Amino acid sequence: RAWVISTFLLTCVLLAMTVPGLGRYPPVSGDDSWVMSASYKLATTGVFGSDLYTGFHDAERHYFIALPVYHLLQATSFVVFGTSVAAARAVTVASAIVVLWAVTWLALRWYGTATAIASGLLLILLRVNLVGLWSGLPLIAAGRTGRYDMTGVAFFWLTIVLLDRVVEQPGRRTIAALGCGML
């Protein structure tokens, strides 16, 4: 119960630090633009390509420069929430939440409640400059971009969660193993 309450509260803190002004800050970077361009074209025309890369090996029609699943998620966000920078970045915010829950859940399973709470606090509040982004808080900073980095990390942690299930629950190995492969 303490893990659920603490992780829920940390999720609220994460949302409070990422959602306000999501479409305005940090300023849209060149990386944000080119990643969003393929998702926008997928959402509006159904073509997985980027007009920004017209003439580059037919990238205007076949765009496999970045993770395709991320573009599908971002295009879905554009369809559901409308086309905006905030809608593009919503996928990354959701990915940051997945990372928070997966890491704290694994910490809970392997090391106990105190470690789970501590790992969640460190994910949210530890100021380091590993990624060189504006705030020095990697989860917050990467969660406010329109890039695919945080989503890749979320898939990685979800794979570890499912792999943990494969090892610990022999009766559910097939479904969890299939999930590992899909992620």
Side-chain angles (χ1 to χ4, degrees):
R1 184 187 300 223
W3 168 75
V4 171
I5 292 169
S6 67
T7 307
F8 175 76
L9 291 173
L10 288 170
T11 302
C12 292
V13 170
L14 176 66
L15 289 171
M17 294 174 78
T18 55
V19 172
L22 187 62
R24 294 185 310 272
Y25 192 79
V28 177
S29 71
D31 286 346
D32 287 336
S33 299
W34 69 263
V35 171
M36 287 184 232
S37 70
S39 303
Y40 175 77
K41 188 166 184 175
L42 181 60
T44 57
T45 66
V47 174
F48 186 41
S50 173
D51 292 333
L52 292 176
Y53 284 87
T54 298
F56 182 69
H57 303 286
D58 289 326
E60 68 273 11
R61 293 183 300 130
H62 308 288
Y63 184 88
F64 294 107
I65 298 170
L67 304 169
V69 173
Y70 179 76
H71 291 286
L72 182 62
L73 294 171
Q74 201 172 54
T76 302
S77 181
F78 286 153
V79 169
V80 172
F81 300 115
T83 304
S84 69
V85 174
R89 292 176 174 176
V91 175
T92 315
V93 172
S95 298
I97 293 169
V98 167
V99 169
L100 176 66
W101 281 84
V103 167
T104 59
W105 186 79
L106 288 170
L108 173 72
R109 287 205 14 90
W110 295 341
Y111 301 107
T113 305
T115 304
I117 293 169
S119 65
L121 285 169
L122 288 172
L123 276 172
I124 300 290
L125 301 174
L126 182 64
R127 188 175 296 275
V128 295
N129 201 17
L130 292 175
V131 291
L133 296 174
W134 61 274
S135 71
L137 301 169
L139 190 68
I140 305 299
R144 289 186 62 98
T145 67
R147 292 177 42 90
Y148 46 80
D149 306 307
M150 184 57 64
T151 305
V153 173
F155 280 127
F156 172 78
W157 281 103
L158 286 174
T159 302
I160 294 173
V161 166
L162 289 177
L163 187 58
D164 182 63
R165 286 186 62 94
V166 168
V167 171
E168 293 295 323
Q169 296 181 355
R172 297 187 187 259
R173 283 187 179 174
T174 304
I175 294 170
L178 178 64
C180 281
M182 290 176 64
L183 289 169

